[in-house]
Amino acid sequence: MAAPLFVLIIIFVLVRTTTSVIDQTIHELDQTFREVADATGGRFRTDAEATALAATDFGTNVSVEAARPAAVFYPSCPADIAALLRASSSSASPFPVSARGRGHSTGGQAMAPGGVVIDMASLGRRRRAARINVSVDGRYVDAGGEQLWVDVLHATLAHGLTPRSWTDYLHLTVGGTLSNAGISGQAFRHGPQISNVLELDVITGTGEMVTCSKEKHGDLFDAVLGGLGQFGIITRARIPVVPAPARARWLRLLYADVAALTGDQERLIAEDGPLAGISHEEGIIGSWRSQPPPPSTSFFSDAGGDHAAANVAKLAKEAGGVLYCLEGAIYYGGAGDTSAADVDKVLLRELRYTRGLAFVQDVSYVEFLDRVHAGELKLRAAGLWHVPHPWLNLFIPRSRILDFAAGVFHGVLLRRHHGGPVLIYPMNRRVWDGATSAVFPDGEEEEVFYTVGLLRSAVAAGDLAAVEAQNAEVERFCEDAGITCARYLPEPYEETAEWAARHFGPGRWERFARRKRKYDPKAILARGQRIFSHPPVA
């Protein structure tokens, strides 16, 4: 059988001790994995192809050999995962375990060098239909942690329902986004995805299978949401749903002045109007991240064609090379209580965009939510999807966003523009749950904070080092200017002390570390984040 071979490899890589201890540990793990394989069908692979895939993520910034696991585990059910974690936790030399969904991390966060990577997609391969269940009467959907949000969307729409909170990219797993926060331009109204969860099934670092909610095992529930995979593996999430709209009026407004843009942004997110989603982009014209679906190829196509494009280029030159684009959507039809004409109520308000540069498309609700995927397909076809992605995502206090724009958008980035979208959008603090593990800027006196995403790709030789250096320059600027910011989807810091001081801060760190000691005392989970070193956790 394959299981004994796997055990021998694991122990050879991880244990540096006496022969008698090795023999004892091999025997214990061998028996555990035999039981898992025989009873449930979970299997392991240790070949170079499987381990190389598990050592690669969307960022491609970590070398395969540095991140290669000893084995990849393919569970057939959540109980298989629990058995694996119990085996590690009870071992004299606990081995690291990481859950891998789509591998969309950019800094090796889902990797387990020398340990075991769980291929979460295996949970849905045999019983996919049973892993997404919609309760029309209960107004919720139960989705496996390995399921993609785009599949959750289609399953709920079949019943005329939809979740309220989304990420901008739907081809990510439920467990993956809930382990971070799950944000998009709609988070200003409904909060991030972690603020829109009713219940979770979680497997802790000790292998305990727990169903938790705000009312039951609330500390674990809060810990796992936004917990960067440190406290447990999400195998099911119960998400509230609401009646779904049918269509979206998708609009873009161009600005040359960042103060006008942010003023309009904050006005829009403070109102209870029809605007359903909002995001904003800074950049050189041509770098906008998404295009509407066919037959349209550009937002310019229905608004003056080449003439409009020329006007945009003229404005960009007058603005010194930097323009801002406010992107929004108004849902209507279906269960919505608005109509397509409601978009005019937004356009005709006293917003301070550049007159004559407002562009509108009418698309289906699905086409709008899944808009980034269209861009992905184009990049894949051009061979530009599997390239390094040295992304930097920051939360910036509202009071410093203009200082940040002046120093970064009109300074650091303008001196050398590496291409790729730069997103800016505000969020309301009140719709974020401070009990979760997610980190956002301090300062409760400020209701609004901003997300800034520098989503660049390194295509040409030398680009990776140059973009990484520029990211470091951006963070140095913030530090020198006294702009207190927090990383979102944080690239791993090198030391625990850096995480404690620079990311969490004293109060949040104490709670985070306490939860780690409680739910993963051997520091088995998500060691690719490099938050906690080899156990025991101090």
Side-chain angles (χ1 to χ4, degrees), residues 206-230:
T206 60
E208 183 181 5
M209 302 176 70
V210 182
T211 297
C212 55
S213 65
K214 276 291 188 182
E215 295 73 32
K216 183 179 180 180
H217 303 295
D219 185 63
L220 177 61
F221 181 78
D222 289 334
V224 169
L225 293 172
L228 305 178
Q230 293 299 310

Side-chain angles (χ1 to χ4, degrees), residues 165-422:
S165 185
W166 296 99
T167 60
D168 285 323
Y169 180 53
L170 301 187
H171 295 253
L172 301 173
T173 63
V174 170
T177 65
L178 294 182
S179 295
N180 288 281
I183 62 173
S184 73
Q186 300 177 70
F188 74 89
R189 176 159 295 168
H190 302 298
Q193 290 182 312
I194 58 173
S195 293
N196 291 270
V197 182
L198 300 175
E199 186 177 270
L200 296 172
D201 283 347
V202 173
I203 304 174
T204 70
T206 60
E208 183 181 5
M209 302 176 70
V210 182
T211 297
C212 55
S213 65
K214 276 291 188 182
E215 295 73 32
K216 183 179 180 180
H217 303 295
D219 185 63
L220 177 61
F221 181 78
D222 289 334
V224 169
L225 293 172
L228 305 178
Q230 293 299 310
F231 312 107
I233 294 173
I234 298 170
T235 58
R236 178 187 64 91
R238 176 165 292 180
I239 309 297
V241 294
V242 296
R247 300 195 63 77
R249 292 283 279 191
W250 185 4
L251 60 101
R252 283 177 173 171
L253 313 175
L254 295 189
Y255 292 73
D257 178 39
V258 66
L261 170 79
T262 56
D264 284 354
Q265 290 174 338
E266 291 170 24
R267 176 180 176 180
L268 288 170
I269 71 167
E271 297 176 352
D272 292 326
L275 195 69
I278 187 169
S279 65
H280 324 280
E281 186 164 347
E282 172 275 335
I284 308 301
I285 294 304
S287 70
W288 290 343
R289 73 187 184 286
S290 55
Q291 296 291 342
S296 296
T297 58
S298 168
F299 261 85
F300 302 145
S301 60
D302 294 331
D306 292 341
H307 179 67
N311 286 342
V312 172
K314 180 174 181 288
L315 179 63
K317 183 177 181 180
E318 292 173 353
V322 179
L323 286 186
Y324 298 87
C325 174
L326 187 155
E327 182 179 56
I330 295 173
Y331 299 148
Y332 70 96
D337 58 0
T338 59
S339 67
D342 284 320
V343 72
D344 296 332
K345 296 178 183 178
V346 174
L347 294 178
L348 295 176
R349 291 175 182 174
E350 295 179 3
L351 298 181
R352 293 177 290 172
Y353 64 93
T354 302
R355 290 301 185 260
L357 294 179
F359 307 97
V360 181
Q361 293 284 334
D362 192 89
V363 298
S364 73
Y365 177 64
V366 172
E367 286 171 331
F368 176 73
L369 287 182
D370 202 23
R371 63 198 180 279
V372 177
H373 186 53
E376 174 192 345
L377 295 178
K378 293 178 182 179
L379 291 173
R380 285 184 181 275
L384 297 175
W385 184 253
H386 294 293
V387 298
H389 295 91
W391 288 3
L392 177 64
N393 295 275
L394 300 172
F395 290 154
I396 306 293
R398 171 191 177 276
S399 60
R400 303 304 303 275
I401 191 62
L402 295 182
D403 297 330
F404 182 93
V408 175
F409 301 150
H410 296 267
V412 176
L413 300 189
L414 193 59
R415 287 195 291 272
R416 182 176 179 183
H417 183 67
H418 290 283
V422 177

